[in-house]
Amino acid sequence: MIKTIEYNGKVYPYRVGYKALKKVKAKLGRDYQHTADTDYEALEYLMFYAIETGCAKSDTKFDLKFEDMEDLLDEHISDILSNIRDFSQAANQQAAEK
């Protein structure tokens, strides 16, 4: 599921999925866990890789830097956390149906 987010007057697609989660684990040596105790460092990397993945799938230029993630998340944190929760629930439901 690809969502979009606006940042600095541009719209970026993002996809929270396997590729982004795998890159977070490779970078930090741990998984991103969506819990009440938000792992903000992992969240920044997850969004960076989710936008990178979304741009690749949508043929959109990926021109963000990791340093942009703090401001992007500051503007959109509640929507992003909600979308990550939706992705997790959909993935769990899909796994249960198999």
Side-chain angles (χ1 to χ4, degrees):
M1 138 177 50
I2 293 181
K3 302 279 188 174
T4 58
I5 195 161
E6 187 174 333
Y7 179 69
N8 280 349
K10 292 178 76 175
V11 176
Y12 293 94
Y14 70 98
R15 184 174 190 280
V16 175
Y18 175 78
K19 286 182 181 182
L21 291 166
K22 182 179 173 184
K23 287 181 178 185
V24 169
K25 185 165 187 167
K27 180 71 175 177
L28 298 177
R30 66 181 190 275
D31 289 322
Y32 171 79
Q33 299 292 321
H34 190 70
T35 63
D37 296 326
T38 302
D39 181 348
Y40 295 105
E41 180 184 30
L43 180 59
E44 288 179 6
Y45 280 104
L46 179 58
M47 277 312 296
F48 183 75
Y49 295 131
I51 294 170
E52 179 183 66
T53 301
C55 286
K57 290 207 167 273
S58 303
D59 290 327
T60 302
K61 183 179 179 183
F62 179 68
D63 58 0
L64 294 175
K65 295 183 173 98
F66 178 74
E67 293 76 25
D68 293 317
M69 293 304 102
E70 186 176 284
D71 289 332
L72 184 143
L73 284 162
D74 192 50
E75 291 178 24
H76 301 285
I77 188 83
S78 62
D79 289 336
I80 289 168
L81 290 174
S82 177
N83 288 333
I84 291 171
R85 184 175 39 256
D86 292 346
F87 165 77
S88 296
Q89 290 173 348
N92 289 337
Q93 182 178 358
Q94 192 175 40
E97 292 173 356
K98 291 186 177 187

